[in-house]
Amino acid sequence: QFDKETDGRSSDVFDREEREWKEILAPYIDNDDTWLSAPWLVTEFYAYRRLIEALGYYDKSNPATYLYDPFLVAKRAGLDSSVNSAENMLEKVVSLPKTKEGVALAAAFALWGNKMDLSIWPADAENSSMDVFANILHAADENMLHDDTNSLTEHCERLRER
């Protein structure tokens, strides 16, 4: 239940969002899911929605918190400092060889790219030239619990040969 009393949006917008969240959450509530067993994306979005409400994001009566994004500074700094890593990754993607090694690198991009959200970018000018993605790929071997890259690349080779 959202707090309609402090929400500065129109009643229609408030009611629509509340109705949409109830529809989204209903299957997981009916299934007695917790935030640990429901899909990650649903729980993360809902947690952030509740966080901005708790911080007064929609509270027009409080100018200090109304539409205040507590993550804005980190988001902007992370975005600005991510250019070097993004450029380096894009150079690698466009030149991937059509070989087992190329497939392995593409799989690593897909697997470890999930770590590339803005929460891990170095959000300061000092680290703006750092290639974060290359560092994560380099550390991938140490972080991998089970590696099926050989099976994947062999399967892709068989498909390519058809």
Side-chain angles (χ1 to χ4, degrees):
Q1 184 76 22
F2 298 134
D3 187 355
K4 196 170 193 170
E5 298 303 313
T6 61
D7 196 296
R9 298 171 301 161
S10 72
S11 183
D12 290 346
V13 171
F14 180 91
D15 291 342
R16 185 189 75 226
E17 183 192 11
E18 187 173 50
R19 187 174 52 255
E20 288 170 350
W21 273 113
K22 285 180 179 178
E23 289 173 15
I24 291 167
L25 296 174
Y28 312 110
I29 293 169
D30 293 346
N31 195 40
D32 289 326
D33 279 318
T34 68
W35 69 276
L36 292 172
S37 59
W40 165 83
L41 189 62
V42 172
T43 59
E44 181 177 43
F45 282 12
Y46 188 67
Y48 277 106
R49 170 56 182 91
R50 295 309 302 248
L51 176 65
I52 64 169
E53 180 181 22
L55 294 174
Y57 186 85
Y58 295 116
D59 185 357
K60 283 186 176 179
S61 70
N62 187 346
T65 63
Y66 180 62
L67 300 181
Y68 172 72
D69 181 354
F71 305 106
L72 185 61
V73 172
K75 288 177 189 175
R76 285 195 176 143
L79 186 59
D80 291 343
S81 68
S82 69
V83 172
N84 190 50
S85 287
E87 287 174 346
N88 287 334
M89 184 187 68
L90 291 172
E91 287 173 10
K92 291 172 179 74
V93 168
V94 297
S95 62
L96 283 176
K98 294 182 179 180
T99 62
K100 286 183 178 184
E101 292 77 17
V103 170
L105 189 55
F109 283 163
L111 176 65
W112 296 105
N114 191 42
K115 291 185 67 83
M116 300 296 13
D117 67 20
L118 290 176
S119 65
I120 59 94
W121 290 112
D124 56 41
E126 183 179 318
N127 290 315
S128 65
S129 63
M130 182 183 201
D131 187 356
V132 177
F133 197 79
N135 291 345
I136 287 175
L137 284 178
H138 182 67
D141 291 337
E142 298 169 19
N143 296 317
M144 187 81 68
L145 296 177
H146 182 79
D147 189 355
D148 284 321
T149 303
N150 287 336
S151 298
L152 173 67
T153 57
E154 288 171 13
H155 179 72
C156 289
E157 284 295 309
R158 285 192 300 276
L159 291 175
R160 189 176 291 133
E161 292 169 0
R162 287 184 179 180

